[in-house]
Amino acid sequence: MAEPRVKATRRNLSTSIADDLLFQIKSGQLPPGSKVPGEKDLMAHYGVGRNTVREAVQSLVTMGYLDVRPRVGARVTSVPIDEAVEATTISALLAGEAVGDIYELRRVLETEIAERAAIEATPEDLEAIAAALEDYNRAHRDGRGAYRADVAFHSAVAVASHNVAFRNVLEGVGDLLLNARQLTDHLPGAVSLAAEEHADIARAVEQRDPERARHAMKVHMQTSVEAWKRAQRLFSEK
């Protein structure tokens, strides 16, 4: 079993453990049909209590990735093909020497977008942002490809800026980073953290606080850069 990559507060320990196990499933370390270590082994491996382990395993059962049976334990079910870490996706990310520069452009662009959205957003825009945020959270809970919902959330914020140029540039940049965004979804805890940061951005825009919206987006963009660097290091070792 891979070394644990969990760094979390007590509140989100079970979520982080679930993310770590899900990453191992999607990356093939725990292939379909394989048995997940028992509760005692997981407790020792992650240094947590029984309830935390059970919550993590149950969340993956609910998502359809694990099947638990009495006296048998947890086994990995089939992994949806669109959720697997595909070799072409990994290659595209590792070969993308300009990805860092594109992320820097996105950081500058999206902080401006968030600030303007906090000023210009209409009630309809706020509803669209809230709906996109909920879709992202739902994708995370259901174990679907959250990167698609991520694109939709950032697009909704861009629409709320009421600047057509911002929207068009962001769309082009988003297309260039699609592979990177898909791959970073598989980092343990990455989607959970992004969900929290999306909520901060949405709240700042809703409260008409341009400075806070700008700061929240800046933090989120830095997280995205760090996630991309982690993904590069992780998958380059495979």
Short mmCIF file of all heavy atoms in Angstrom, two decimals, residues 30-94:
data_model
loop_
_atom_site.label_atom_id
_atom_site.label_comp_id
_atom_site.label_asym_id
_atom_site.label_seq_id
_atom_site.Cartn_x
_atom_site.Cartn_y
_atom_site.Cartn_z
N LEU A 30 -4.72 0.31 -6.55
CA LEU A 30 -5.74 -0.63 -6.06
C LEU A 30 -6.68 -0.92 -7.23
O LEU A 30 -7.68 -0.25 -7.42
CB LEU A 30 -6.52 -0.01 -4.89
CG LEU A 30 -5.79 0.11 -3.55
CD1 LEU A 30 -6.62 0.90 -2.55
CD2 LEU A 30 -5.46 -1.28 -2.98
N PRO A 31 -6.35 -1.90 -8.06
CA PRO A 31 -7.14 -2.19 -9.26
C PRO A 31 -8.49 -2.83 -8.93
O PRO A 31 -8.69 -3.33 -7.82
CB PRO A 31 -6.24 -3.15 -10.04
CG PRO A 31 -5.43 -3.83 -8.99
CD PRO A 31 -5.18 -2.78 -7.94
N PRO A 32 -9.41 -2.84 -9.89
CA PRO A 32 -10.71 -3.48 -9.68
C PRO A 32 -10.55 -4.93 -9.21
O PRO A 32 -9.75 -5.68 -9.75
CB PRO A 32 -11.36 -3.41 -11.06
CG PRO A 32 -10.75 -2.19 -11.68
CD PRO A 32 -9.33 -2.19 -11.21
N GLY A 33 -11.32 -5.29 -8.19
CA GLY A 33 -11.26 -6.64 -7.65
C GLY A 33 -10.30 -6.81 -6.50
O GLY A 33 -10.36 -7.81 -5.78
N SER A 34 -9.39 -5.86 -6.32
CA SER A 34 -8.42 -5.99 -5.23
C SER A 34 -9.07 -5.68 -3.89
O SER A 34 -10.04 -4.94 -3.80
CB SER A 34 -7.23 -5.05 -5.46
OG SER A 34 -7.64 -3.70 -5.44
N LYS A 35 -8.51 -6.23 -2.84
CA LYS A 35 -9.04 -6.05 -1.50
C LYS A 35 -8.35 -4.88 -0.82
O LYS A 35 -7.13 -4.76 -0.85
CB LYS A 35 -8.85 -7.32 -0.68
CG LYS A 35 -9.52 -7.26 0.69
CD LYS A 35 -9.41 -8.60 1.41
CE LYS A 35 -10.08 -8.52 2.78
NZ LYS A 35 -10.00 -9.82 3.51
N VAL A 36 -9.15 -4.02 -0.21
CA VAL A 36 -8.61 -2.88 0.53
C VAL A 36 -8.18 -3.39 1.90
O VAL A 36 -8.83 -4.26 2.49
CB VAL A 36 -9.69 -1.79 0.68
CG1 VAL A 36 -9.18 -0.64 1.55
CG2 VAL A 36 -10.10 -1.27 -0.69
N PRO A 37 -7.05 -2.90 2.43
CA PRO A 37 -6.63 -3.32 3.77
C PRO A 37 -7.76 -3.18 4.79
O PRO A 37 -8.61 -2.30 4.67
CB PRO A 37 -5.47 -2.37 4.08
CG PRO A 37 -4.90 -2.04 2.73
CD PRO A 37 -6.10 -1.96 1.83
N GLY A 38 -7.76 -4.04 5.79
CA GLY A 38 -8.80 -4.02 6.80
C GLY A 38 -8.76 -2.79 7.68
O GLY A 38 -7.83 -1.98 7.62
N GLU A 39 -9.79 -2.65 8.52
CA GLU A 39 -9.91 -1.47 9.37
C GLU A 39 -8.68 -1.25 10.24
O GLU A 39 -8.17 -0.12 10.34
CB GLU A 39 -11.16 -1.58 10.26
CG GLU A 39 -12.46 -1.33 9.55
CD GLU A 39 -13.63 -1.30 10.52
OE1 GLU A 39 -13.43 -1.60 11.72
OE2 GLU A 39 -14.75 -0.97 10.08
N LYS A 40 -8.20 -2.31 10.88
CA LYS A 40 -7.05 -2.16 11.78
C LYS A 40 -5.81 -1.69 11.02
O LYS A 40 -5.04 -0.86 11.51
CB LYS A 40 -6.78 -3.47 12.51
CG LYS A 40 -7.85 -3.84 13.52
CD LYS A 40 -7.48 -5.12 14.27
CE LYS A 40 -8.54 -5.47 15.31
NZ LYS A 40 -8.20 -6.72 16.04
N ASP A 41 -5.62 -2.25 9.82
CA ASP A 41 -4.47 -1.84 9.01
C ASP A 41 -4.59 -0.38 8.59
O ASP A 41 -3.60 0.37 8.61
CB ASP A 41 -4.35 -2.73 7.77
CG ASP A 41 -3.93 -4.15 8.11
OD1 ASP A 41 -3.27 -4.33 9.15
OD2 ASP A 41 -4.27 -5.07 7.34
N LEU A 42 -5.79 0.04 8.19
CA LEU A 42 -5.99 1.43 7.78
C LEU A 42 -5.83 2.37 8.97
O LEU A 42 -5.26 3.46 8.83
CB LEU A 42 -7.38 1.59 7.16
CG LEU A 42 -7.60 0.92 5.80
CD1 LEU A 42 -9.06 1.05 5.37
CD2 LEU A 42 -6.68 1.51 4.73
N MET A 43 -6.31 1.96 10.13
CA MET A 43 -6.16 2.78 11.33
C MET A 43 -4.69 3.01 11.65
O MET A 43 -4.26 4.13 11.95
CB MET A 43 -6.87 2.10 12.51
CG MET A 43 -8.39 2.12 12.43
SD MET A 43 -9.17 0.93 13.57
CE MET A 43 -8.56 1.53 15.16
N ALA A 44 -3.91 1.93 11.55
CA ALA A 44 -2.48 2.04 11.83
C ALA A 44 -1.76 2.84 10.74
O ALA A 44 -0.86 3.65 11.03
CB ALA A 44 -1.86 0.64 11.94
N HIS A 45 -2.16 2.62 9.50
CA HIS A 45 -1.51 3.28 8.36
C HIS A 45 -1.69 4.79 8.41
O HIS A 45 -0.75 5.56 8.16
CB HIS A 45 -2.11 2.72 7.07
CG HIS A 45 -1.39 3.16 5.82
ND1 HIS A 45 -0.11 2.79 5.52
CD2 HIS A 45 -1.81 3.96 4.79
CE1 HIS A 45 0.25 3.31 4.37
NE2 HIS A 45 -0.76 4.02 3.90
N TYR A 46 -2.92 5.23 8.74
CA TYR A 46 -3.22 6.66 8.74
C TYR A 46 -3.14 7.30 10.13
O TYR A 46 -3.21 8.52 10.25
CB TYR A 46 -4.61 6.91 8.15
CG TYR A 46 -4.70 6.62 6.67
CD1 TYR A 46 -5.39 5.50 6.20
CD2 TYR A 46 -4.09 7.45 5.74
CE1 TYR A 46 -5.47 5.23 4.84
CE2 TYR A 46 -4.16 7.17 4.38
CZ TYR A 46 -4.85 6.06 3.94
OH TYR A 46 -4.92 5.80 2.60
N GLY A 47 -3.03 6.47 11.15
CA GLY A 47 -2.95 7.00 12.49
C GLY A 47 -4.24 7.63 12.97
O GLY A 47 -4.23 8.69 13.61
N VAL A 48 -5.37 6.99 12.67
CA VAL A 48 -6.68 7.54 13.03
C VAL A 48 -7.52 6.46 13.71
O VAL A 48 -7.11 5.30 13.81
CB VAL A 48 -7.44 8.05 11.79
CG1 VAL A 48 -6.69 9.18 11.12
CG2 VAL A 48 -7.68 6.91 10.79
N GLY A 49 -8.71 6.84 14.20
CA GLY A 49 -9.59 5.92 14.88
C GLY A 49 -10.49 5.14 13.93
O GLY A 49 -10.57 5.42 12.73
N ARG A 50 -11.20 4.17 14.51
CA ARG A 50 -12.05 3.29 13.72
C ARG A 50 -13.17 4.04 12.99
O ARG A 50 -13.46 3.78 11.83
CB ARG A 50 -12.66 2.21 14.62
CG ARG A 50 -13.41 1.11 13.88
CD ARG A 50 -13.99 0.10 14.86
NE ARG A 50 -12.95 -0.47 15.69
CZ ARG A 50 -12.19 -1.51 15.33
NH1 ARG A 50 -12.39 -2.08 14.15
NH2 ARG A 50 -11.27 -1.98 16.15
N ASN A 51 -13.81 4.98 13.70
CA ASN A 51 -14.92 5.72 13.09
C ASN A 51 -14.48 6.52 11.88
O ASN A 51 -15.19 6.63 10.88
CB ASN A 51 -15.58 6.64 14.11
CG ASN A 51 -16.41 5.88 15.14
OD1 ASN A 51 -16.78 4.74 14.90
ND2 ASN A 51 -16.67 6.51 16.26
N THR A 52 -13.29 7.11 11.96
CA THR A 52 -12.75 7.90 10.84
C THR A 52 -12.55 7.01 9.62
O THR A 52 -12.89 7.38 8.49
CB THR A 52 -11.42 8.57 11.23
OG1 THR A 52 -11.64 9.42 12.35
CG2 THR A 52 -10.87 9.40 10.07
N VAL A 53 -11.98 5.82 9.85
CA VAL A 53 -11.77 4.87 8.74
C VAL A 53 -13.10 4.43 8.15
O VAL A 53 -13.26 4.38 6.92
CB VAL A 53 -10.97 3.65 9.24
CG1 VAL A 53 -11.03 2.52 8.21
CG2 VAL A 53 -9.53 4.04 9.50
N ARG A 54 -14.06 4.13 9.01
CA ARG A 54 -15.36 3.67 8.52
C ARG A 54 -16.06 4.74 7.69
O ARG A 54 -16.71 4.44 6.68
CB ARG A 54 -16.24 3.25 9.70
CG ARG A 54 -15.80 1.93 10.33
CD ARG A 54 -16.70 1.50 11.46
NE ARG A 54 -16.33 0.17 11.94
CZ ARG A 54 -16.91 -0.45 12.97
NH1 ARG A 54 -17.90 0.15 13.63
NH2 ARG A 54 -16.51 -1.64 13.34
N GLU A 55 -15.97 5.99 8.12
CA GLU A 55 -16.57 7.09 7.37
C GLU A 55 -15.93 7.21 5.99
O GLU A 55 -16.61 7.43 4.99
CB GLU A 55 -16.43 8.40 8.12
CG GLU A 55 -17.31 8.50 9.36
CD GLU A 55 -17.06 9.78 10.14
OE1 GLU A 55 -16.26 10.62 9.67
OE2 GLU A 55 -17.64 9.93 11.23
N ALA A 56 -14.60 7.08 5.93
CA ALA A 56 -13.89 7.19 4.66
C ALA A 56 -14.29 6.06 3.71
O ALA A 56 -14.58 6.29 2.53
CB ALA A 56 -12.37 7.16 4.90
N VAL A 57 -14.33 4.83 4.25
CA VAL A 57 -14.70 3.68 3.41
C VAL A 57 -16.15 3.79 2.96
O VAL A 57 -16.47 3.54 1.79
CB VAL A 57 -14.48 2.37 4.19
CG1 VAL A 57 -15.07 1.18 3.44
CG2 VAL A 57 -12.99 2.14 4.42
N GLN A 58 -17.03 4.20 3.86
CA GLN A 58 -18.45 4.30 3.51
C GLN A 58 -18.68 5.32 2.41
O GLN A 58 -19.54 5.15 1.55
CB GLN A 58 -19.28 4.65 4.74
CG GLN A 58 -20.78 4.69 4.49
CD GLN A 58 -21.30 3.38 3.92
OE1 GLN A 58 -20.97 2.30 4.41
NE2 GLN A 58 -22.12 3.46 2.86
N SER A 59 -17.91 6.41 2.43
CA SER A 59 -18.08 7.43 1.38
C SER A 59 -17.73 6.86 0.01
O SER A 59 -18.38 7.16 -0.99
CB SER A 59 -17.21 8.65 1.68
OG SER A 59 -15.83 8.36 1.54
N LEU A 60 -16.73 5.97 -0.05
CA LEU A 60 -16.35 5.35 -1.32
C LEU A 60 -17.35 4.27 -1.72
O LEU A 60 -17.54 4.00 -2.90
CB LEU A 60 -14.94 4.77 -1.23
CG LEU A 60 -13.82 5.79 -1.03
CD1 LEU A 60 -12.47 5.09 -0.94
CD2 LEU A 60 -13.81 6.82 -2.14
N VAL A 61 -17.99 3.64 -0.73
CA VAL A 61 -19.06 2.70 -1.03
C VAL A 61 -20.23 3.44 -1.66
O VAL A 61 -20.81 3.00 -2.66
CB VAL A 61 -19.53 1.97 0.26
CG1 VAL A 61 -20.80 1.16 -0.02
CG2 VAL A 61 -18.42 1.06 0.78
N THR A 62 -20.58 4.58 -1.07
CA THR A 62 -21.68 5.39 -1.59
C THR A 62 -21.41 5.86 -3.01
O THR A 62 -22.31 5.92 -3.85
CB THR A 62 -21.91 6.62 -0.68
OG1 THR A 62 -22.20 6.17 0.64
CG2 THR A 62 -23.07 7.47 -1.20
N MET A 63 -20.15 6.18 -3.30
CA MET A 63 -19.76 6.65 -4.63
C MET A 63 -19.67 5.50 -5.63
O MET A 63 -19.56 5.73 -6.84
CB MET A 63 -18.41 7.39 -4.55
CG MET A 63 -18.50 8.71 -3.80
SD MET A 63 -16.87 9.29 -3.22
CE MET A 63 -15.99 9.46 -4.76
N GLY A 64 -19.68 4.26 -5.13
CA GLY A 64 -19.66 3.11 -6.03
C GLY A 64 -18.29 2.56 -6.31
O GLY A 64 -18.14 1.68 -7.18
N TYR A 65 -17.27 3.00 -5.59
CA TYR A 65 -15.91 2.53 -5.84
C TYR A 65 -15.53 1.30 -5.00
O TYR A 65 -14.61 0.58 -5.35
CB TYR A 65 -14.89 3.64 -5.60
CG TYR A 65 -14.90 4.69 -6.67
CD1 TYR A 65 -15.62 5.88 -6.51
CD2 TYR A 65 -14.21 4.50 -7.87
CE1 TYR A 65 -15.64 6.84 -7.51
CE2 TYR A 65 -14.23 5.46 -8.87
CZ TYR A 65 -14.94 6.62 -8.68
OH TYR A 65 -14.98 7.57 -9.68
N LEU A 66 -16.24 1.11 -3.89
CA LEU A 66 -15.96 -0.04 -3.02
C LEU A 66 -17.23 -0.83 -2.76
O LEU A 66 -18.33 -0.28 -2.74
CB LEU A 66 -15.37 0.42 -1.68
CG LEU A 66 -14.00 1.09 -1.68
CD1 LEU A 66 -13.60 1.45 -0.25
CD2 LEU A 66 -12.94 0.22 -2.34
N ASP A 67 -17.04 -2.12 -2.56
CA ASP A 67 -18.13 -3.00 -2.17
C ASP A 67 -17.70 -3.69 -0.88
O ASP A 67 -16.63 -4.31 -0.83
CB ASP A 67 -18.39 -4.04 -3.26
CG ASP A 67 -19.51 -4.99 -2.88
OD1 ASP A 67 -20.49 -4.54 -2.26
OD2 ASP A 67 -19.40 -6.19 -3.21
N VAL A 68 -18.49 -3.55 0.18
CA VAL A 68 -18.14 -4.13 1.48
C VAL A 68 -19.10 -5.26 1.81
O VAL A 68 -20.32 -5.08 1.76
CB VAL A 68 -18.19 -3.05 2.59
CG1 VAL A 68 -17.88 -3.69 3.95
CG2 VAL A 68 -17.20 -1.94 2.30
N ARG A 69 -18.54 -6.40 2.16
CA ARG A 69 -19.35 -7.56 2.52
C ARG A 69 -18.84 -8.16 3.83
O ARG A 69 -17.63 -8.17 4.08
CB ARG A 69 -19.32 -8.62 1.41
CG ARG A 69 -19.88 -8.12 0.09
CD ARG A 69 -19.92 -9.22 -0.94
NE ARG A 69 -20.44 -8.73 -2.21
CZ ARG A 69 -20.64 -9.51 -3.28
NH1 ARG A 69 -20.33 -10.80 -3.22
NH2 ARG A 69 -21.11 -8.99 -4.39
N PRO A 70 -19.76 -8.69 4.64
CA PRO A 70 -19.37 -9.30 5.92
C PRO A 70 -18.36 -10.42 5.72
O PRO A 70 -18.48 -11.22 4.79
CB PRO A 70 -20.70 -9.85 6.46
CG PRO A 70 -21.75 -8.99 5.81
CD PRO A 70 -21.22 -8.72 4.44
N ARG A 71 -17.35 -10.45 6.58
CA ARG A 71 -16.30 -11.48 6.60
C ARG A 71 -15.43 -11.47 5.34
O ARG A 71 -14.54 -12.31 5.20
CB ARG A 71 -16.90 -12.88 6.81
CG ARG A 71 -17.58 -13.05 8.16
CD ARG A 71 -18.02 -14.48 8.38
NE ARG A 71 -19.05 -14.86 7.42
CZ ARG A 71 -20.34 -14.60 7.59
NH1 ARG A 71 -20.75 -13.94 8.66
NH2 ARG A 71 -21.24 -14.98 6.69
N VAL A 72 -15.71 -10.58 4.43
CA VAL A 72 -14.89 -10.44 3.22
C VAL A 72 -14.12 -9.13 3.24
O VAL A 72 -12.95 -9.07 2.87
CB VAL A 72 -15.77 -10.52 1.94
CG1 VAL A 72 -14.92 -10.26 0.70
CG2 VAL A 72 -16.45 -11.87 1.85
N GLY A 73 -14.77 -8.07 3.69
CA GLY A 73 -14.14 -6.77 3.72
C GLY A 73 -14.46 -5.93 2.50
O GLY A 73 -15.41 -6.22 1.77
N ALA A 74 -13.67 -4.92 2.27
CA ALA A 74 -13.90 -4.00 1.15
C ALA A 74 -13.08 -4.39 -0.07
O ALA A 74 -11.87 -4.63 0.05
CB ALA A 74 -13.57 -2.57 1.58
N ARG A 75 -13.73 -4.44 -1.19
CA ARG A 75 -13.05 -4.69 -2.46
C ARG A 75 -13.36 -3.57 -3.44
O ARG A 75 -14.43 -2.96 -3.39
CB ARG A 75 -13.48 -6.03 -3.07
CG ARG A 75 -12.95 -7.24 -2.32
CD ARG A 75 -13.20 -8.54 -3.07
NE ARG A 75 -12.69 -9.69 -2.36
CZ ARG A 75 -11.42 -10.09 -2.42
NH1 ARG A 75 -10.56 -9.44 -3.19
NH2 ARG A 75 -11.02 -11.16 -1.75
N VAL A 76 -12.43 -3.34 -4.35
CA VAL A 76 -12.58 -2.28 -5.34
C VAL A 76 -13.50 -2.76 -6.45
O VAL A 76 -13.33 -3.87 -6.98
CB VAL A 76 -11.22 -1.88 -5.94
CG1 VAL A 76 -11.40 -0.78 -6.98
CG2 VAL A 76 -10.28 -1.41 -4.84
N THR A 77 -14.49 -1.96 -6.80
CA THR A 77 -15.37 -2.27 -7.92
C THR A 77 -14.73 -1.72 -9.19
O THR A 77 -13.60 -1.25 -9.19
CB THR A 77 -16.76 -1.66 -7.72
OG1 THR A 77 -16.63 -0.23 -7.62
CG2 THR A 77 -17.40 -2.18 -6.44
N SER A 78 -15.44 -1.76 -10.30
CA SER A 78 -14.91 -1.22 -11.56
C SER A 78 -14.84 0.30 -11.48
O SER A 78 -15.65 0.94 -10.82
CB SER A 78 -15.79 -1.63 -12.74
OG SER A 78 -17.10 -1.14 -12.56
N VAL A 79 -13.86 0.87 -12.16
CA VAL A 79 -13.66 2.31 -12.18
C VAL A 79 -14.15 2.86 -13.51
O VAL A 79 -13.73 2.39 -14.57
CB VAL A 79 -12.16 2.67 -12.01
CG1 VAL A 79 -11.97 4.17 -12.02
CG2 VAL A 79 -11.62 2.06 -10.73
N PRO A 80 -15.07 3.86 -13.49
CA PRO A 80 -15.55 4.44 -14.74
C PRO A 80 -14.39 4.89 -15.61
O PRO A 80 -13.45 5.51 -15.12
CB PRO A 80 -16.39 5.64 -14.27
CG PRO A 80 -16.82 5.26 -12.89
CD PRO A 80 -15.66 4.51 -12.31
N ILE A 81 -14.46 4.59 -16.90
CA ILE A 81 -13.33 4.86 -17.79
C ILE A 81 -12.97 6.34 -17.86
O ILE A 81 -11.81 6.72 -17.96
CB ILE A 81 -13.59 4.31 -19.20
CG1 ILE A 81 -12.32 4.39 -20.06
CG2 ILE A 81 -14.74 5.06 -19.87
CD1 ILE A 81 -12.44 3.60 -21.35
N ASP A 82 -13.99 7.23 -17.75
CA ASP A 82 -13.69 8.66 -17.85
C ASP A 82 -13.11 9.21 -16.56
O ASP A 82 -12.68 10.35 -16.50
CB ASP A 82 -14.94 9.46 -18.23
CG ASP A 82 -16.02 9.39 -17.17
OD1 ASP A 82 -16.04 8.40 -16.42
OD2 ASP A 82 -16.82 10.34 -17.11
N GLU A 83 -13.06 8.35 -15.49
CA GLU A 83 -12.49 8.80 -14.24
C GLU A 83 -11.06 8.30 -14.06
O GLU A 83 -10.38 8.68 -13.11
CB GLU A 83 -13.35 8.31 -13.07
CG GLU A 83 -14.72 8.94 -13.04
CD GLU A 83 -14.64 10.43 -12.88
OE1 GLU A 83 -13.89 10.91 -12.01
OE2 GLU A 83 -15.29 11.14 -13.65
N ALA A 84 -10.62 7.38 -14.90
CA ALA A 84 -9.28 6.83 -14.76
C ALA A 84 -8.23 7.87 -15.15
O ALA A 84 -8.49 8.76 -15.94
CB ALA A 84 -9.13 5.59 -15.65
N VAL A 85 -7.04 7.73 -14.58
CA VAL A 85 -5.95 8.61 -14.97
C VAL A 85 -5.35 8.05 -16.25
O VAL A 85 -4.60 7.08 -16.23
CB VAL A 85 -4.86 8.68 -13.88
CG1 VAL A 85 -3.75 9.63 -14.28
CG2 VAL A 85 -5.48 9.13 -12.57
N GLU A 86 -5.73 8.63 -17.37
CA GLU A 86 -5.30 8.11 -18.66
C GLU A 86 -3.87 8.51 -18.98
O GLU A 86 -3.42 9.60 -18.64
CB GLU A 86 -6.23 8.61 -19.76
CG GLU A 86 -7.69 8.17 -19.56
CD GLU A 86 -8.58 8.72 -20.64
OE1 GLU A 86 -8.07 9.41 -21.53
OE2 GLU A 86 -9.79 8.47 -20.58
N ALA A 87 -3.16 7.61 -19.66
CA ALA A 87 -1.77 7.86 -20.01
C ALA A 87 -1.63 9.11 -20.88
O ALA A 87 -0.66 9.86 -20.75
CB ALA A 87 -1.20 6.64 -20.74
N THR A 88 -2.57 9.34 -21.78
CA THR A 88 -2.49 10.51 -22.64
C THR A 88 -2.61 11.81 -21.83
O THR A 88 -1.96 12.81 -22.13
CB THR A 88 -3.61 10.49 -23.69
OG1 THR A 88 -4.88 10.32 -23.03
CG2 THR A 88 -3.43 9.34 -24.66
N THR A 89 -3.43 11.77 -20.79
CA THR A 89 -3.58 12.94 -19.94
C THR A 89 -2.28 13.23 -19.19
O THR A 89 -1.84 14.37 -19.09
CB THR A 89 -4.72 12.73 -18.93
OG1 THR A 89 -5.93 12.53 -19.65
CG2 THR A 89 -4.88 13.94 -18.01
N ILE A 90 -1.67 12.17 -18.65
CA ILE A 90 -0.42 12.32 -17.92
C ILE A 90 0.67 12.86 -18.85
O ILE A 90 1.40 13.79 -18.50
CB ILE A 90 0.03 10.98 -17.32
CG1 ILE A 90 -1.01 10.52 -16.28
CG2 ILE A 90 1.39 11.08 -16.69
CD1 ILE A 90 -0.75 9.13 -15.74
N SER A 91 0.77 12.29 -20.03
CA SER A 91 1.80 12.73 -20.98
C SER A 91 1.61 14.19 -21.36
O SER A 91 2.58 14.95 -21.45
CB SER A 91 1.76 11.85 -22.24
OG SER A 91 2.05 10.52 -21.92
N ALA A 92 0.37 14.58 -21.59
CA ALA A 92 0.10 15.96 -21.98
C ALA A 92 0.52 16.93 -20.89
O ALA A 92 1.06 18.00 -21.16
CB ALA A 92 -1.38 16.13 -22.29
N LEU A 93 0.27 16.54 -19.64
CA LEU A 93 0.64 17.43 -18.54
C LEU A 93 2.16 17.51 -18.40
O LEU A 93 2.72 18.60 -18.30
CB LEU A 93 0.04 16.92 -17.23
CG LEU A 93 0.44 17.72 -15.98
CD1 LEU A 93 -0.09 19.14 -16.06
CD2 LEU A 93 -0.08 17.05 -14.72
N LEU A 94 2.82 16.37 -18.41
CA LEU A 94 4.26 16.37 -18.19
C LEU A 94 5.01 17.02 -19.34
O LEU A 94 6.10 17.57 -19.15
CB LEU A 94 4.75 14.93 -18.01
CG LEU A 94 4.17 14.20 -16.79
CD1 LEU A 94 4.73 12.79 -16.72
CD2 LEU A 94 4.48 14.94 -15.51
#
